[in-house]
Amino acid sequence: MGEHMQKVLYVEDNPLNMALMHHLFKKNLPFVMLLEAETGERGLEMAERQRPDLIILDIGLPGLNGYETLACLRREENTHQIPVLAISAFAQLSDIAKARQAGFAGYITKPIRVRAFTEIVQGLLAEREGQV
Ligand SMILES: [Mg+2]
């Protein structure tokens, strides 16, 4: 275990989804700090400043959408290596394939299946722990 507390940034415009995520983290990932941003633009600022270990990025956002936000993250020196999980209510196989192709580390569909989601986050954070 590292000395530092790992940080996850959740970019989400829906306050209810944000509240649910805080609840989920508190209950299932209590040793992880959850940071929040309500737009892609704000998410980019937060990512640059906070250097989270993982970003969970809503696809449907006002302003920059999830794909555009991911593209910006990938262009920046300080954020290009951070794994990014897509989260969306769109659950077609074509959506999932598109997200993989864009470079997302994974694709979570809403509503979130808590156990599977928690395992994915833990897996990505464990990989990250090994690298940092
Ligand atoms: Mg949204």
Side-chain angles (χ1 to χ4, degrees):
M1 278 275 280
E3 299 280 305
H4 70 293
M5 195 175 192
Q6 286 189 298
K7 290 182 278 192
V8 172
L9 171 63
Y10 183 30
V11 185
E12 170 64 73
D13 61 312
N14 181 311
L16 178 60
N17 288 338
M18 183 60 77
L20 287 169
M21 191 65 83
H22 275 287
H23 180 75
L24 188 157
F25 268 69
K26 204 172 173 187
K27 197 152 179 271
N28 297 287
L29 298 158
F31 301 110
V32 180
M33 187 188 297
L34 184 64
L35 307 169
E36 60 177 81
E38 68 286 355
T39 63
E41 290 84 344
R42 180 93 180 107
L44 292 171
E45 286 173 23
M46 294 276 292
E48 181 74 31
R49 219 177 33 236
Q50 298 282 340
R51 312 284 171 82
D53 298 281
L54 172 67
I55 298 170
I56 302 168
L57 184 54
D58 184 27
I59 296 293
L61 291 167
L64 291 177
N65 69 29
Y67 288 101
E68 292 162 341
T69 303
L70 177 68
C72 293
L73 288 166
R74 287 293 172 262
R75 277 199 295 272
E76 293 300 324
E77 170 85 29
N78 292 325
T79 59
H80 79 279
Q81 284 186 327
I82 301 172
V84 184
L85 268 179
I87 187 165
S88 174
F90 300 115
Q92 301 285 326
L93 280 177
S94 58
D95 297 313
I96 297 169
K98 187 181 169 196
R100 287 276 183 196
Q101 212 161 27
F104 282 105
Y107 193 92
I108 305 297
T109 53
K110 297 175 188 171
I112 295 172
R113 294 187 308 279
V114 173
R115 181 176 295 197
F117 172 78
T118 302
E119 285 173 7
I120 290 167
V121 170
Q122 283 171 333
L124 289 168
L125 288 177
E127 273 177 42
R128 191 75 182 156
E129 186 75 47
Q131 285 164 16
V132 177

